[in-house]
Amino acid sequence: MTTAKIALITGANKGIGLETARQLGTQGITVLIGARDEERGREAERALREGGADAHFVQLDVTDAKSVQRAAEWIDGEYGRLDILVNNAGTASVTRQGGAPSQTSLDDMRAVYEINVFGVVAVTNAMLPLLHRAPAARIVNVSSEVGSITAQTDPASPLAQMPASVQYPSSKSALNMITAMYAKELRDTPIKVNAANPGYTATDFNNHRGFRTVAEGAEPSVYLATLPPDGPTGLLWGHIWTTAGDGGYDTLAW
Ligand SMILES: NC(=O)c1ccc[n+]([C@@H]2O[C@H](COP(=O)([O-])OP(=O)(O)OC[C@H]3O[C@@H](n4cnc5c(N)ncnc54)[C@H](OP(=O)(O)O)[C@@H]3O)[C@@H](O)[C@H]2O)c1
């Protein structure tokens, strides 16, 4: 049985998830590449192995209960435990029908919630028995500052200047509460549960308009995935963006 830590990253075939896997892999952590599409997942597995990581593709569509269950069973059979879960898979809009709150497509909103909200609960609950078997597991929910009600309603925040929309920001607000509630349930265990804010990162997600590189965008996830025993739990932590510019890393207001 391997003594290396085992990390599962959902949506790890590209963007921040792929880079999170790469950075965790360079620390000697075995990285399980959760991807819904086998071809894209295998390609990521190949690229990470070429870079020296112990990477393994795991078919995982976070909206498909059978796929989630099969992934948990496979990890159980191979490793018997899970040290790190990074709930990274996410989307802003499935139909690209975003827009003002008054124009919200309920179909699109439901599809976004299936991935960003219900998918996280499904994967976390399927993996929790394995996480409990690790000595001190870490759960990272990749959230966003756009889910911070404090930032969205603070006229001094750059986020207050962005157009209003419902499905994505509210899905990340829900994810923030989900993070706080899992941290509460697990507070008397060694498991730490935190939400990461990558900051505005150049990926397919925003047609590469983000001003942070994926290497930077993955840093909050990697930091929270490898917290020491005296590290925090139940926080939204990561990049701070102010009207003055880059504010480094810190805890964000919910
Ligand atoms: N980029 C930013 O500025 C930014 C800022 C704050 C937070 N975030 C968050 O960071 C996370 C990663 O975003 P990103 O920028 O790296 O976006 P991305 O490049 O679009 O990657 C999204 C990943 O999620 C996967 N995914 C989507 N639906 C899935 C499903 N049902 N099951 C499994 N995987 C699924 C995608 O797989 P496919 O390739 O198969 O579609 C892809 O691997 C998201 O949670 C996002 O909300 C991003």
Side-chain angles (χ1 to χ4, degrees):
M1 199 170 109
T2 178
T3 53
K5 282 189 193 165
I6 316 294
L8 170 66
I9 302 100
T10 68
N13 55 286
K14 67 175 183 177
I16 295 168
L18 175 61
E19 176 62 18
T20 301
R22 198 191 63 74
Q23 291 185 20
L24 290 173
T26 62
Q27 296 190 27
I29 295 170
T30 293
V31 285
L32 308 182
I33 308 308
R36 58 180 164 179
D37 179 86
E38 170 151 14
E39 207 172 304
R40 293 196 284 270
R42 293 267 178 225
E43 200 181 306
E45 176 192 67
R46 239 188 333 270
L48 289 165
R49 285 185 181 178
E50 277 168 19
D54 182 28
H56 304 265
F57 160 69
V58 184
Q59 198 284 330
L60 182 48
D61 181 334
V62 302
T63 66
D64 177 348
K66 282 203 183 79
S67 165
V68 172
Q69 201 48 45
R70 270 197 308 268
E73 284 165 10
W74 182 81
I75 297 168
D76 191 6
E78 288 290 313
Y79 304 103
R81 70 175 203 283
L82 185 63
D83 298 272
I84 295 166
L85 170 62
V86 184
N87 286 308
N88 167 84
T91 190
S93 165
V94 172
T95 59
R96 301 282 157 202
Q97 286 177 6
S102 55
Q103 306 303 312
T104 301
S105 150
L106 279 179
D107 285 345
D108 190 51
M109 185 167 174
R110 285 193 187 96
V112 169
Y113 269 60
E114 285 294 341
I115 299 168
N116 296 8
V117 181
F118 308 138
V120 173
V121 175
V123 172
T124 303
N125 288 350
M127 299 301 161
L128 261 176
L130 297 167
L131 292 159
H132 277 295
R133 279 191 231 136
R138 304 287 179 253
I139 301 172
V140 181
N141 294 331
V142 183
S143 186
S144 172
E145 59 209 330
V146 309
S148 164
I149 297 173
T150 304
Q152 290 282 10
T153 55
D154 173 4
S157 166
L159 293 174
Q161 311 312 318
M162 289 168 70
S165 68
V166 161
Q167 53 265 58
Y168 180 68
S170 70
S171 76
K172 293 300 189 183
S173 305
L175 182 57
N176 290 346
M177 182 60 87
I178 287 165
T179 305
M181 291 298 112
Y182 276 96
K184 194 183 209 182
E185 180 181 350
L186 296 167
R187 66 186 163 197
D188 296 325
T189 77
I191 302 178
K192 296 185 190 300
V193 191
N194 290 290
N197 176 38
Y200 193 32
T201 303
T203 66
D204 289 350
F205 191 89
N206 47 39
N207 295 320
H208 296 262
R209 282 193 300 262
F211 51 73
R212 284 167 59 74
T213 65
V214 278
E216 293 166 334
E219 280 173 0
S221 295
V222 171
Y223 174 77
L224 295 171
T226 54
L227 282 174
D230 61 349
T233 189
L235 294 183
L236 171 59
W237 189 93
H239 185 247
I240 305 289
W241 181 29
T242 70
T243 42
D246 190 322
Y249 290 128
D250 210 338
T251 302
L252 284 83
W254 291 116

